[in-house]
Every structure is written in structure tokens, then in C-alpha cells.
Amino acid sequence: MTEGGPDHRIHAIRYARHERMAAENFIGGDDHAAPMPLDYFVWVIERDGVAPVLVDTGFGAEAAARRKRTMIRPVEDGLRAIGIDPTEIEDVILTHLHYDHAGSLSLFPKARFHIQDNELAFATSRAMTHKAVRGPFDAEPVAQMVHLLFGDRLVLHAGDDEFAPGVILRFLPGHTAGLQGVEVSTARGPVLLASDVCHLYANLVREMPFPIVIDVPAYLDAHRRLLALVPGLDHIIPGHDPLVLTAFPPGSAPDISRVDLAPLRPIGEFV
């Protein structure tokens, strides 16, 4: 845990949305025929006296149109809304290589990119010969990873690793082979950017996996580890839950929440 570390701030920036039904968000479906949309986020870790860190890069207009997602605001505009120039970002942590977390890499020409060994190996492995497995990946970002590696701009991590004071990478596979969450020291204690370890709080609370998963037991084990790493549900930030915008205090611009701050009410009251 990051107790006693520096107090960082975390901005959750929504850039897109996908309208869908609850049954689409759980293996085995859901008995409630109700809408349960997904929001798409990137996250910024703001650190005193040190350059901010971007977690994930989202996707752009082309991928949105091809995959029928609704763009709310391009990622670069969301970053500028909190005073960050994408071209000046020095470090980007990629939680995994699915299209919605690792697109638009060219927006960050100065950045070093951080990813797990297992994720790059999986995304370039025999597994990608299966359409059902490679569906959430786009070929171009995966190919760009190889170019970044040869250009000395890709940093590979193997398991849990301290990225910087108060920022720890947590290896949490299951959704993909090399998914990593990011545990951040804040004024309210550790906050874990879980990304797609759980798309929604409901996946975690109900112990029901999201349908895109390569290893169900590992996925559920990652849920248990999330809850062991931080004080409770309020300290976990899922990858796609609209509650992130409504349950946490608003940021300095629309479609942004401050998840380093405590939720307005305990998350369990929302789920």
C-alpha cells in the first residue's frame, strides 16, 4: 500500500460512451432488461513538482466510428481542459492494449510508454489468430508498440513494480494476460485505478465477470486482490462505470471527476 507516500491528485476524464443493455455486461447476462451504458476514461495523476502521468490514451474518431462508440470529447481536448498539453507528457502507463486504452498514441510524441511484459507478448502471440480473442485489439497500436520498443520509448514491467514515489503498478491479469492497475497515494489513502479488472462496480460487487475475459479464475482472483490492496470499494476506480462521474466530486471542467477525493456518498449506496 502507499500509506505515508506523497499525496497525488487524480483526474478521471471521460471521452466517450457506449449505450448498451445490462445483459451485455455480465457473463450469463442479467435478469433486468435495463440500460447499462459504459463510459470511456483516461486518467491523469497530478504530482507536486513533477510532471503529470497519463494512464491510458483512449481512442480517436476513426475507432469510434468503426466500433459505433459516441465521442464526447477527444482525449487531447480533455487533457487541455485541465491545463495539460498532450505533446509535453513524458510518461504514459498503459493498463492494457485493448483499442479503447491504447489508441491515439501519436498524440504523445515525447512520452515513454509503460506496459507489462505479458501484455505485449500476448498481443503479438498465436492467440491473435483467433478473431474472438483479437476483437478488442486494434492492429495499429500493437504494431506501434514494436516501433516504440525499437525507439527506446517502451518500458516493460514484469509484475508489481514501483513506477515512482506514491505510484505502484499492480499486475492484475484475467481480462487480458498483462493487465496492470495503478495504485496511487492520495490524501485519502491509496486509490487503485483498476481499469478493466472490473468495467463496472457491479462486476466486482456481484462477482460476475464482464464478457471480455481470457481467464475467468484469474479475473476473479484479481477482484479479490483489488479488495485486499486498498481499504474498500470507495478506493477502487473501475474502467468504464458512469458512477465515476456521478459519485465523485466534479473536476475543473465537464466530464471530469476528482477520484483522489472521497465519493459524495459511499459507493456501496450507489451500486
Side-chain angles (χ1 to χ4, degrees):
M1 292 174 63
T2 54
E3 291 179 0
D7 294 338
H8 300 319
R9 297 169 295 282
I10 312 171
H11 307 264
I13 303 173
R14 181 174 71 159
Y15 68 92
R17 188 171 178 87
H18 184 211
E19 301 295 341
R20 54 198 280 140
M21 301 300 287
E24 299 175 85
N25 293 331
F26 305 95
I27 289 179
D30 186 278
D31 292 337
H32 303 92
M36 192 179 239
L38 300 181
D39 280 345
Y40 295 81
F41 295 91
V42 298
W43 301 270
V44 171
I45 303 168
E46 190 177 16
R47 307 177 291 168
D48 289 337
V50 188
V53 176
L54 178 64
V55 179
D56 289 343
T57 59
F59 55 74
E62 185 277 331
R66 174 163 41 84
R67 292 180 180 266
K68 297 180 173 58
R69 284 9 179 199
T70 301
M71 288 294 293
I72 292 170
R73 174 173 55 192
V75 168
E76 59 269 35
D77 291 349
L79 293 172
R80 292 189 180 104
I82 60 170
I84 293 177
D85 180 352
T87 65
E88 296 300 320
I89 287 178
E90 297 177 4
D91 285 285
V92 175
I93 298 169
L94 295 175
T95 62
H96 59 301
L97 287 178
H98 282 173
Y99 80 98
D100 51 327
H101 295 262
S104 305
L105 300 176
S106 61
L107 293 174
F108 310 100
K110 293 184 179 180
R112 293 178 297 270
F113 294 84
H114 298 259
I115 196 166
Q116 287 283 323
D117 273 323
N118 286 28
E119 186 70 3
L120 183 61
F122 181 72
T124 55
S125 74
R126 182 186 297 270
M128 295 301 111
T129 64
H130 301 291
K131 290 183 180 180
V133 177
R134 72 174 183 248
F137 294 87
D138 276 350
E140 184 56 30
V142 175
Q144 285 178 290
M145 287 293 107
V146 177
H147 288 282
L148 289 165
L149 177 64
F150 277 71
D152 295 322
R153 291 178 55 206
L154 188 65
V155 182
L156 295 167
H157 299 265
D160 287 5
D161 201 1
E162 183 180 45
F163 172 84
V167 181
I168 300 174
L169 306 179
R170 295 297 190 183
F171 182 52
L172 296 161
H175 174 66
T176 66
L179 192 145
Q180 59 184 355
V182 186
E183 185 180 329
V184 183
S185 175
T186 75
R188 68 181 179 105
V191 171
L192 214 162
L193 301 175
S195 184
D196 292 0
V197 178
C198 51
H199 279 60
L200 303 160
Y201 283 111
N203 295 120
L204 183 60
V205 170
R206 299 183 195 178
E207 299 182 356
M208 293 177 64
F210 191 80
I212 299 173
V213 56
I214 65 158
D215 186 330
V216 170
Y219 177 99
L220 293 170
D221 285 344
H223 282 194
R224 292 178 179 176
R225 188 162 188 241
L226 280 181
L227 293 166
L229 285 167
V230 294
L233 199 62
D234 291 355
H235 294 255
I236 295 169
I237 309 301
H240 295 276
D241 202 321
L243 280 176
V244 171
L245 277 186
T246 58
F248 287 90
S252 56
D255 296 300
I256 298 174
S257 287
R258 283 283 303 277
V259 298
D260 59 298
L261 304 177
L264 304 174
R265 302 200 312 272
I267 290 296
E269 295 182 12
F270 291 93
V271 180

